[in-house]
Amino acid sequence: MERHIERALKAGATHDEVIDVVFTVVGLANHALYTSVPILDEELEAAGVVAERTAPSPAYQAAKDAFIASRGFWEQRRDLIAELIPDYSAALDRLSTEAWRGGPLSPKDRTLVCIGIDSTVNHLFEPGLRRHIRNALGHGATAGEILEVLQLAGVIGLESYITGTQVLFGRE
């Protein structure tokens, strides 16, 4: 992270833009839940275990409406997450929409960040990747810009190599 922030600042990014990217990346935390929580729910049901669920509340509906207003879409898998872990869901929804309600990044640039998130080898989230590519194109992104993001995200697997060699050989 330190290396990437240093490079971004050296390339001309402002402190506020870096913070905006960090807040935009918060949405990454939900994606693992989009797969794991439905699997847990299915396996609990198969085992005859009834998970405690919370009915959607006015606060949940307000968080959902705010998400849609700031992000322009809603991932239906969020509903199950909100039923099973409502406090976590509400907090993450508030945090993950913060950057979208303001900040220096344009909607196009923020959407390109989302493409980078959804295309990494350790995260690959196809529904989000497709949605964000469509949104980026709608914001005027070119195929070349999207390909550049995919290329940058494609080398994320090198991070463990870089970190491992730094540990082995010391920071140089």
Side-chain angles (χ1 to χ4, degrees):
M1 180 72 90
E2 181 180 335
R3 185 168 40 86
H4 292 298
I5 289 173
E6 286 174 7
R7 286 182 175 171
L9 294 172
K10 187 181 256 185
T14 67
H15 181 268
D16 288 344
E17 288 169 334
V18 171
I19 293 294
D20 202 353
V21 168
V22 170
F23 272 105
T24 299
V25 171
V26 166
L28 170 74
N30 266 351
H31 294 175
L33 297 177
Y34 292 162
T35 301
S36 58
V37 170
I39 289 171
L40 170 64
D41 194 46
E42 290 169 9
E43 293 302 319
L44 288 172
E45 185 178 328
V49 177
V50 178
E52 185 178 328
R53 295 177 187 268
T54 302
S57 66
Y60 172 70
Q61 189 59 49
K64 183 175 181 177
D65 292 344
F67 186 97
I68 293 168
S70 65
R71 303 287 306 270
F73 66 91
W74 181 255
E75 174 59 56
Q76 287 305 125
R77 288 175 263 204
R78 288 175 170 272
D79 292 332
L80 179 60
I81 294 166
E83 288 175 17
L84 295 174
I85 43 178
D87 293 339
Y88 174 89
S89 175
L92 195 55
D93 282 347
R94 282 190 305 275
L95 187 57
S96 70
T97 58
E98 182 63 32
W100 292 86
R101 290 191 300 261
L105 293 182
S106 69
K108 176 182 137 184
D109 289 339
R110 190 170 286 110
T111 302
L112 289 170
V113 169
C114 290
I115 290 171
I117 292 166
D118 285 342
S119 66
T120 60
V121 68
N122 59 341
H123 181 72
L124 193 56
F125 182 61
E126 183 182 342
L129 180 57
R130 289 181 184 281
R131 176 182 300 112
H132 293 306
I133 287 174
R134 285 191 302 268
N135 289 346
L137 292 169
H139 287 300
T142 66
E145 289 172 317
I146 295 170
L147 284 167
E148 187 174 353
V149 169
L150 294 175
Q151 180 182 346
L152 291 168
V155 298
I156 215 81
L158 294 176
E159 291 300 315
S160 59
Y161 168 79
I162 292 167
T163 302
T165 56
Q166 287 175 336
V167 169
L168 183 61
F169 298 109
R171 288 200 171 265
E172 296 177 6

